[in-house]
């Protein structure tokens, strides 16, 4: 198998961090997103949405969407469990993974794509007002998350999970999106520092 990878872009990075936590090595095919290589035939023939990452299995089967790719590897390598354990544990991870994705990562992405000058050719039309409108959405969710993290070490409970991976990468993505974690969100800052210190965060 091989993984078509987009470098520091958030979604390809999610898969690499997940694989690093699992201790799984998959051959990477680098794709230069800055040069819009993901719009070319190599990627578009495998994913008509022309997005990364793309996992190509040995039999030619194609998997796209970062969480779907991670679920595939979770089934093959269930330990350490990054999607939760048991009915309740799995449901809590799913709940928080969705919350982190829809309420934090997505608003941050909208802010970045609609405000950053480098994204002008990517996001057509680029609507700066929409980008600005998403900044307070991300901040509001961080305040909610801060209250939740007052009572537990990780986003979905006592164990590190894919919800933490999504959250860490979303917070990292805030810098190019020109959003800052409110300094009073001390629990978020503590959590982000701890998850960022894991060796997998450098993947």
């Amino acid at each position: 198998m091989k993984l078509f990878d987009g470098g520091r872009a958030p979604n390809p990075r999610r898969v690499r961090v997940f694989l690093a936590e699992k201790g799984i090595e998959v051959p990477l095919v680098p794709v230069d997103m800055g040069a819009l290589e993901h719009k070319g035939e190599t990627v578009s023939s495998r994913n008509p949405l022309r997005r990364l990452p793309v996992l190509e299995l040995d039999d030619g089967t194609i998997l796209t969407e970062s969480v779907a790719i991670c679920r595939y590897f979770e089934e093959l390598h269930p330990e350490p469990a990054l999607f939760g354990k048991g009915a309740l544990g799995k449901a809590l991870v799913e709940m928080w993974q969705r919350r982190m994705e829809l309420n934090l990562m997505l608003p941050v992405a909208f802010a970045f794509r609609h405000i950053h000058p480098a994204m002008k050719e990517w996001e057509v039309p680029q609507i700066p007002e929409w980008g600005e409108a998403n900044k307070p959405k991300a901040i509001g969710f961080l305040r909610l998350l801060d209250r939740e993290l007052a009572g537990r070490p990780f986003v979905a409970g006592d164990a590190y999970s894919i919800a933490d991976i999504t959250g860490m990468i979303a917070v990292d993505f805030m810098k190019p999106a020109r959003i800052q974690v409110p300094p009073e969100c001390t629990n978020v800052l503590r959590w982000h520092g701890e998850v960022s210190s894991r060796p997998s965060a450098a993947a």
Side-chain angles (χ1 to χ4, degrees):
M1 69 176 69
K2 53 188 174 182
L3 181 66
F4 293 84
D5 177 64
R8 300 304 291 175
N11 283 314
R13 188 180 168 214
R14 274 205 281 182
V15 173
R16 292 199 312 276
V17 172
F18 186 92
L19 292 174
E21 282 286 335
K22 291 281 191 183
I24 301 169
E25 293 187 8
V26 177
L28 299 181
V29 180
V31 179
D32 187 347
M33 296 183 73
L36 301 181
E37 287 184 358
H38 59 294
K39 305 285 188 182
E41 178 64 18
T42 298
V43 174
S44 61
S45 64
R46 292 170 170 84
N47 181 5
L49 293 175
R50 301 189 293 181
R51 296 172 184 165
L52 295 170
V54 174
L55 180 67
E56 182 174 341
L57 304 184
D58 292 338
D59 66 358
T61 300
I62 298 295
L63 289 175
T64 67
E65 305 301 330
S66 56
V67 175
I69 293 170
C70 291
R71 283 190 180 279
Y72 174 75
F73 285 111
E74 179 88 350
E75 291 297 318
L76 292 178
H77 305 273
E79 295 294 337
L82 298 180
F83 279 88
K85 289 187 175 183
L88 179 57
K90 290 179 179 180
L92 287 170
V93 170
E94 179 72 19
M95 178 181 78
W96 278 103
Q97 155 60 25
R98 289 284 286 173
R99 286 178 168 182
M100 300 302 281
E101 196 164 49
L102 296 178
N103 297 288
L104 185 58
M105 179 171 273
L106 197 58
V108 172
F110 284 150
F112 175 72
R113 294 178 71 94
H114 285 275
I115 295 172
H116 201 288
M119 297 302 293
K120 191 171 183 179
E121 294 182 12
W122 291 44
E123 198 64 46
V124 180
Q126 192 178 53
I127 306 172
E129 295 83 1
W130 176 236
E132 292 292 344
N134 275 277
K135 288 183 177 183
K137 295 180 180 181
I139 295 297
F141 181 75
L142 284 174
R143 296 187 192 283
L144 180 154
L145 180 63
D146 191 71
R147 295 191 295 271
E148 294 285 336
L149 287 170
R152 58 180 184 267
F154 298 108
V155 168
D158 293 331
Y160 180 89
S161 74
I162 191 171
D164 296 288
I165 296 174
T166 297
M168 177 190 71
I169 290 173
V171 171
D172 290 346
F173 197 32
M174 288 170 62
K175 184 175 181 180
R178 301 171 186 172
I179 309 171
Q180 290 187 332
V181 177
E184 64 271 21
C185 288
T186 55
N187 296 310
V188 168
L189 293 170
R190 179 266 307 160
W191 158 82
H192 182 256
E194 290 175 359
V195 295
S196 296
S197 69
R198 298 172 76 93
S200 63

